[in-house]
Amino acid sequence: MLEMLLMQYEDQFGEAFPLADLQEKSEIEVINILYDCVQNNTPYEAGMEVLENRFGDAPGMSK
């Protein structure tokens, strides 16, 4: 999923997603941000957060 979204982001916005800027985030958080960017046609901005988890049954999400 992550790789697919990274490729789609680059195709859509003409630049690579700044994955290195999100090293402190979990993979599912990065996926949610990427998904939100692609779905809403909005490039990533520093500090961007997605409050809604679109993949609630992803591994590691149960608390």
Side-chain angles (χ1 to χ4, degrees):
M1 166 82 58
L2 179 58
E3 289 180 27
M4 180 194 70
L5 286 169
L6 288 169
M7 288 188 292
Q8 186 172 353
Y9 183 94
E10 190 165 352
D11 285 345
Q12 193 166 332
F13 299 110
E15 62 187 28
F17 182 78
L19 197 54
D21 294 349
L22 300 171
Q23 290 180 2
E24 76 283 353
K25 301 278 188 196
S26 69
E27 184 174 340
I28 193 65
E29 289 175 296
V30 173
I31 289 171
N32 278 313
I33 291 170
L34 266 165
Y35 187 81
D36 193 67
C37 289
V38 169
Q39 286 295 108
N40 294 316
N41 199 34
T42 305
Y44 175 77
E45 294 180 15
M48 185 177 192
E49 297 281 335
V50 175
L51 302 177
E52 179 183 354
N53 178 20
R54 299 179 189 263
F55 307 96
D57 59 349
M61 291 309 298
S62 59
K63 300 208 180 211

